[in-house]
Amino acid sequence: MPLSTVICIGMAGSGKTTFMQRLNSHLRSQKNTPYVVNLDPAVLRIPYGANIDIRDSIKYKKVMENYQLGPNGAIVTSLNLFSTKIDQVIKLVEKKKDKYQHCIIDTPGQIECFVWSASGSIITESFASTFPTVIAYIVDTPRNTSPTTFMSNMLYACSILYKTKLPMIVVFNKTDVTKADFARDWMTDFEAFQTALRDDQDSNGTSGMGSGYMNSLINSMSLMLEEFYSQLDMVGVSSHTGEGFDDFLKAVDDKVGEYEEYYKAERERILKAKEEQEKRRKDKSLDGLMKDLAINKKEGTNKNADEGVDVLSDFEEGENDGLVERDEDEDTEREYTFPGEERTQGEVNDKRAPDLQKRYQEAFENMAKDASSKTAENIANYIRQ
């Protein structure tokens, strides 16, 4: 079975680190030791052994001092710095892919790292392009008994799903404190959520808001998320007792199959489309360059030559250039005549030499003017293109 990656994402205090510890212990009890990665630079102590720890390469307090940042900004910056070396992390995990079946990744509670920061996209896409990858969105069940808080958490989950485009499992943690049956009902039955919303408003004495903006907004969002829920697997677990982790691992196996069937094919299609788009862009740039250089791709000749424009570089010395050197031993005086003129008028002699030189000079000047004007015209055409 190929190595699969589980990235644990969730709000601060949702129990991600405790969930990681229990998942690690559960897999070890099944003789299936996972490969563990910690991406939280600000944690003081982790209750599990990490094969790769961001704290070994990024010093969180130094980042705060050097960049004059607060706690949240330093965590995001630390992840951005670490993501520049993600290729080395992938290589390390690849070396162990035959030894491990699961790679589990702990992340910081600053969920904005995976909602809008570049580091979250780089990390998830790097793993997803190499291994089957599943997002485990951890939810604090006792704190989500309010329909409004529940809706807020689901919107975060929705944004992460469409940001990463990876299979997602919503994990309702701490079920030893509060059962997650109410959440399952709200996700599968729209009317049950509406009833809970009205009851919550009445119990808090806010029935006046029932017909206001907040009620209308939550109702609209619940209708919108109905399709979103259909794409999710929902599991209730207790990191304290270990309840529900068998169901979670089964859901991971299902999502790995879904990744292979749908997400991998979609990613390959997107990558292929990008390659074709890049190829078209390069071909277009090459065509533009060849036009700028006045090169005819079909014939591979200079356009100026096709138009009958000769330049000095077209005439080079060689065997057939028409120039014949005079034999030094030849004493015969040669005579030259111009076409159309009588022989006596075109003879080159001492009397005619000045006139002949003058005609040469005039012809050379006219040729230079024609060449310069055509060169200027070509330059102007090039600028207009």
Side-chain angles (χ1 to χ4, degrees), residues 65-117:
E65 295 174 2
N66 294 339
Y67 295 96
Q68 300 296 311
L69 298 171
N72 291 347
I75 289 175
V76 175
T77 303
S78 297
L79 269 181
N80 289 339
L81 294 173
F82 187 77
S83 64
T84 61
K85 304 295 183 182
I86 192 63
D87 58 325
Q88 300 178 19
V89 176
I90 298 298
K91 289 180 181 178
L92 291 173
V93 179
E94 275 190 307
K95 292 179 180 179
K96 303 293 184 179
K97 64 181 181 180
D98 296 331
K99 185 178 178 181
Y100 298 93
Q101 293 186 12
H102 295 90
C103 175
I104 56 178
I105 303 174
D106 194 8
T107 62
Q110 280 63 27
I111 202 169
E112 57 268 21
C113 296
F114 294 90
V115 174
W116 59 264
S117 178

Side-chain angles (χ1 to χ4, degrees), residues 263-304:
Y263 287 84
K264 185 178 180 179
E266 180 65 14
R267 293 181 69 84
E268 290 177 351
R269 185 192 66 79
I270 293 173
L271 291 176
K272 185 177 180 181
K274 287 183 178 179
E275 291 178 357
E276 293 177 353
Q277 183 179 1
E278 181 66 14
K279 185 177 182 298
R280 288 195 298 268
R281 186 190 67 80
K282 289 182 179 179
D283 292 342
K284 185 178 180 181
S285 299
L286 182 59
D287 291 341
L289 178 62
M290 295 181 73
K291 289 180 180 179
D292 292 342
L293 296 176
I295 296 176
N296 189 323
K297 291 179 63 179
K298 294 183 178 180
E299 299 181 2
T301 57
N302 194 302
K303 287 185 178 180
N304 291 334

Side-chain angles (χ1 to χ4, degrees), residues 299-326:
E299 299 181 2
T301 57
N302 194 302
K303 287 185 178 180
N304 291 334
D306 295 338
E307 296 170 359
V309 180
D310 296 334
V311 294
L312 294 178
S313 62
D314 292 334
F315 299 97
E316 299 178 354
E317 295 182 359
E319 296 179 354
N320 303 317
D321 54 11
L323 302 179
V324 179
E325 294 183 2
R326 182 173 181 176

